[in-house]
Amino acid sequence: MIHQARTAGTDRAGDGCALSDIAAAATTLRQAAHDKTQRIRRITSQVKMLALNARIESGRVGEHGRGFTVVANEVGAVGEAIAGLARELEADVDGRIVGLQAQVARLVTRAQGERLVDLALNAVELIDRNLYERTCDVRWWATDAAVVACAADPAPAAAAFAEKRLGVILSAYTVYLDLWLCDLDGRVIATGRPGRFPGLRGQSVAQEPWFRQAAGLASGDDYTAADIRSEPRLGGAQVATYCASVRRDGEACGRPLGVLAIHFDWEPQARAIVQGVRVAPEDRTRTRVLLVDAARRVIAASDGVGLLSERLPLDLGDAASGVLPTRDAEGLVAYHRTPGYETYRGLGWYGVIVQGRGGDGTGKAGPG
């Protein structure tokens, strides 16, 4: 079952919109101040021209125009003073508005980054809640009477009945590709879909890391979880494998009899998570939603690119969350490490949001 995405970062998105409105108002104010000072300059230019004409005319009339010369000089001086004041006003207002715009831009970037971190957390929380259910499933099904009986005595009749029972489980839980019951030597003794994936019974999985880890579990209450991989025995499908030990009488402290491995159909389920993160429609083309494992390998991507092959060059250190610039410094990379869910502590995976300033948001995912 895939949980629906919760709304993330609503308040911060509103803050970002408010800051954007402030930035737009500051730009408008800057332009208005520039326009007004330009008008003052034009007026003072006219005043100075009139003063110059008055001096010329007063010079023509000689002694009788001396008084007009004094007035013309004073008018010219006033014009120069007004022009100087206009220059000072424009420089002061312009400088203050530029500073305000820079501060608002920083706040907008910060609010945007915090919202993207929320979305990254949303993505990894959703997948962990779903994977927590997988840990519950495998421990529960490992106590099924048919599974326990087959693990104790894998005779043909017991194996056939166990496969029938596993098939019933798969018919109700469509998020799984197959269920494998293995003996303690790592030999597959029953599967849930022998018709779809024939020839698995009798194969050895003893060298698989997930089997070796599961064989060492201390009790029936424990489980193992493997990183995402392509499983060639299941047609190369991407799977998340969860294991629990099958024990005598289905008791948690009973003697180990075998291992039950359940293979979660990873790719379609993960795709639904990353594509369901609520990115604003206007940002969708420049935003990439990712899940990456502890080795920074892309295990899910909203654009379907780089699955199980791309590694993000993220140097996160010990930080659980944060925001980094993209390699071209034009966008943001927001990330949040899994906090786990209930008894599922997670595998150190991260939700990651890569958002560029334009374009499709891909190809420059890593920070500088």
Side-chain angles (χ1 to χ4, degrees), residues 228-248:
I228 309 304
R229 74 188 196 288
S230 294
E231 174 51 70
R233 298 179 182 90
L234 298 176
Q238 298 172 16
V239 297
T241 299
Y242 290 78
C243 302
S245 56
V246 180
R247 294 176 177 261
R248 188 180 61 183

Side-chain angles (χ1 to χ4, degrees), residues 42-63:
R42 287 195 294 270
I43 293 170
T44 54
S45 179
Q46 292 173 346
V47 169
K48 288 189 287 183
M49 184 62 68
L50 290 173
L52 176 60
N53 290 336
R55 285 195 292 269
I56 292 172
E57 292 300 322
S58 66
R60 289 180 179 177
V61 298
E63 186 66 24

Side-chain angles (χ1 to χ4, degrees), residues 49-324:
M49 184 62 68
L50 290 173
L52 176 60
N53 290 336
R55 285 195 292 269
I56 292 172
E57 292 300 322
S58 66
R60 289 180 179 177
V61 298
E63 186 66 24
H64 297 290
R66 183 177 298 173
F68 290 104
T69 300
V70 174
V71 173
N73 289 338
E74 287 299 322
V75 170
V78 170
E80 288 290 348
I82 294 174
L85 181 60
R87 287 192 296 271
E88 292 177 9
L89 175 63
E90 183 175 26
D92 186 44
V93 171
D94 192 63
R96 290 177 184 273
I97 292 177
V98 168
L100 175 62
Q101 288 175 317
Q103 185 175 3
V104 169
R106 288 192 294 270
L107 291 174
V108 167
T109 300
R110 178 179 176 182
Q112 180 187 21
E114 289 176 345
R115 179 174 181 274
L116 294 180
V117 168
D118 280 346
L119 291 176
L121 173 60
N122 185 199
V124 76
E125 276 188 328
L126 283 172
I127 199 63
D128 273 356
R129 290 184 183 189
N130 282 279
L131 297 182
Y132 163 71
E133 294 180 4
R134 313 292 67 91
T135 70
C136 297
D137 290 345
V138 70
R139 286 176 288 180
W140 171 29
W141 297 336
T143 65
D144 185 272
V147 170
V148 174
C150 182
D153 181 12
F161 185 62
E163 288 195 337
K164 182 178 180 180
R165 177 59 184 161
L166 294 177
V168 169
I169 293 173
L170 285 173
S171 68
Y173 289 81
T174 58
V175 296
Y176 293 102
L177 282 168
D178 206 357
L179 313 179
W180 298 349
L181 176 59
C182 310
D183 63 20
L184 292 178
D185 293 325
R187 182 173 58 93
V188 178
I189 56 178
T191 68
R193 288 195 171 116
R196 181 176 174 183
F197 304 109
L200 290 177
R201 192 192 297 184
Q203 288 195 25
S204 175
V205 294
Q207 299 306 312
E208 295 290 346
W210 53 263
F211 176 80
R212 295 201 301 269
Q213 293 172 7
L217 290 173
S219 79
D221 293 328
D222 299 324
Y223 65 89
T224 64
D227 271 321
I228 309 304
R229 74 188 196 288
S230 294
E231 174 51 70
R233 298 179 182 90
L234 298 176
Q238 298 172 16
V239 297
T241 299
Y242 290 78
C243 302
S245 56
V246 180
R247 294 176 177 261
R248 188 180 61 183
D249 299 326
E251 297 290 339
C253 58
R255 179 174 60 83
L257 301 174
V259 167
L260 180 65
I262 64 176
H263 302 292
F264 183 63
D265 192 4
W266 171 258
E267 196 276 332
Q269 316 305 326
R271 182 177 66 247
I273 292 290
V274 293
Q275 291 185 348
V277 171
R278 295 181 180 177
V279 177
E282 62 272 19
D283 294 332
R284 191 164 295 279
T285 59
R286 65 189 184 96
T287 302
R288 194 178 184 211
V289 183
L290 307 171
L291 293 171
V292 302
D293 63 18
R296 313 297 186 259
R297 182 183 56 147
V298 173
I299 55 177
S302 57
D303 59 359
V305 175
L307 301 180
L308 306 190
S309 60
E310 179 184 355
R311 291 184 186 273
L312 298 188
L314 298 173
D315 182 13
L316 307 182
D318 295 328
S321 64
V323 181
L324 300 168

Side-chain angles (χ1 to χ4, degrees), residues 10-22:
T10 302
D11 292 340
R12 286 171 180 162
D15 291 344
C17 292
L19 290 170
S20 296
D21 291 342
I22 294 172

